[in-house]
Amino acid sequence: MLEETSPLSSKMRISVDREKLGNFSPNQVRFYLKYSSFVFRALKKPLFQKFLHWMLKKERIEEEAVKAVQVKVLPLRRMNGKGIAGNCDTTRGRIRIYPKTTKFCQIFKQKFGRNTLLAYAGNRARAALIHELLHLKYTVDEKKVRALAKDYFCIFTQKRSAQDSYALCIFTMIFSAKISLEKTPPRVSYDPSIRIKLNETCLRVSGIFK
Ligand SMILES: [Zn+2]
C-alpha cells in the first residue's frame, strides 16, 4: 500500500513536549491527544500523500530534503499571542504542525458542529503541511509560499470535492478566499452567515500562517 511505501508518510510522528504537559488540565491533554491522532491520520491518508508526492515532484523538492514531520500534540503561540499552524526548520528539514487551542475548538464546535470542526482541523493541518513543505524550496519568500500553498491546496480540495462536500467551505474558512457563493456546488449547504461569523471568531488566515 502507498501508506507503507511513501517515504514522506514514514517520516511522520506524533510528538509531545512532556515538560509542557503540566501547563494543561487532564481534559485539555486528552483533547489534544485526540486532536493530534486525528490530524496524524488525516495527513497520512494515501490520497493526500499521493498529492504531496506529486507536488514535491512538480516543485523539484527532493523527498529526501524532508527529514521529519512532527504532529505536535500541544499548541504553540507566538509572542503576540497568535497561534501557529506550522513551522519549518529548513536546515534540518524538520516540519512541525500544531493544533488549534481547546478554546477555539469549543467555540467552533458550538457554531458549526463536530463534523465541520473535524473537517476544518484536518484541512488546516494539510494546508499547513503544504505550506511548510514549500518553504524547503522557497526558504524566505513568504509571499510566494502563501500564493503557491493556496493554489496547491485548491487543487487538492478540487480533486477530492466529489467525495468531500465540506471541502469548498473549509477551503474558504482556511484561506478566507473570496469565492463567490454562486460557485458553490448546490449540494453543499453553505450558510452565507458562516463567513460573517468566521470573521467574528477570527478564524482567518492569520492562524494558518506564520
Ligand atoms: Zn510561511
Side-chain angles (χ1 to χ4, degrees):
M1 275 181 67
L2 185 74
E3 204 174 342
E4 307 293 313
T5 54
S6 161
L8 189 63
S9 182
S10 65
K11 291 170 194 165
M12 292 180 50
R13 300 276 181 276
I14 293 178
S15 150
V16 63
D17 298 321
R18 292 185 183 278
E19 72 279 6
K20 289 185 189 158
L21 282 172
N23 303 336
F24 299 88
S25 75
N27 271 345
Q28 284 175 319
V29 172
R30 218 170 297 139
F31 174 87
Y32 286 126
L33 284 170
K34 264 199 221 167
Y35 189 119
S36 59
S37 86
F38 173 79
V39 159
F40 184 71
R41 275 179 279 133
L43 294 181
K44 282 187 74 126
K45 286 215 169 114
L47 194 67
F48 184 60
Q49 287 292 325
K50 204 171 153 188
F51 170 81
L52 291 180
H53 181 75
W54 169 81
M55 182 188 88
L56 291 175
K57 212 168 159 188
K58 194 163 183 296
E59 288 293 328
R60 294 168 195 244
I61 300 170
E62 295 283 331
E63 286 199 30
E64 272 301 296
V66 192
K67 302 292 180 214
V69 177
Q70 299 180 344
V71 175
K72 302 298 284 185
V73 172
L74 301 172
L76 183 71
R77 282 179 187 281
R78 279 192 279 183
M79 298 295 267
N80 63 12
K82 281 187 181 166
I84 289 175
N87 57 33
C88 179
D89 181 332
T90 51
T91 321
R92 292 184 191 169
R94 187 191 61 205
I95 289 169
R96 288 171 164 169
I97 305 295
Y98 295 92
K100 274 289 191 185
T101 62
T102 45
K103 194 181 163 199
F104 172 93
C105 293
Q106 259 168 15
I107 297 169
F108 192 104
K109 197 169 143 188
Q110 274 165 15
K111 291 196 172 186
F112 308 117
R114 186 172 178 270
N115 287 342
T116 311
L117 173 62
L118 290 175
Y120 176 81
N123 284 305
R124 176 180 181 267
R126 287 189 189 106
L129 183 52
I130 289 171
H131 181 103
E132 302 307 337
L133 283 169
L134 290 167
H135 266 307
L136 291 171
K137 179 173 175 183
Y138 311 97
T139 322
V140 288
D141 195 345
E142 186 64 25
K143 213 172 145 189
K144 173 102 182 164
V145 166
R146 283 187 191 203
L148 272 176
K150 192 172 161 180
D151 289 347
Y152 279 120
F153 188 73
C154 188
I155 293 169
F156 177 70
T157 41
Q158 277 169 1
K159 266 181 197 278
R160 64 202 278 269
S161 59
Q163 305 158 35
D164 183 355
S165 60
Y166 281 113
L168 196 62
C169 301
I170 300 298
F171 175 84
T172 314
M173 286 177 174
I174 290 174
F175 287 94
S176 268
K178 288 183 180 59
I179 295 170
S180 81
L181 296 176
E182 290 75 35
K183 283 183 191 162
T184 310
R187 63 194 188 80
V188 176
S189 58
Y190 189 97
D191 176 6
S193 65
I194 278 183
R195 270 177 65 185
I196 301 155
K197 287 182 201 159
L198 278 174
N199 287 342
E200 281 170 13
T201 349
C202 291
L203 283 180
R204 293 184 305 152
V205 83
S206 58
I208 300 295
F209 299 119
K210 305 185 281 176

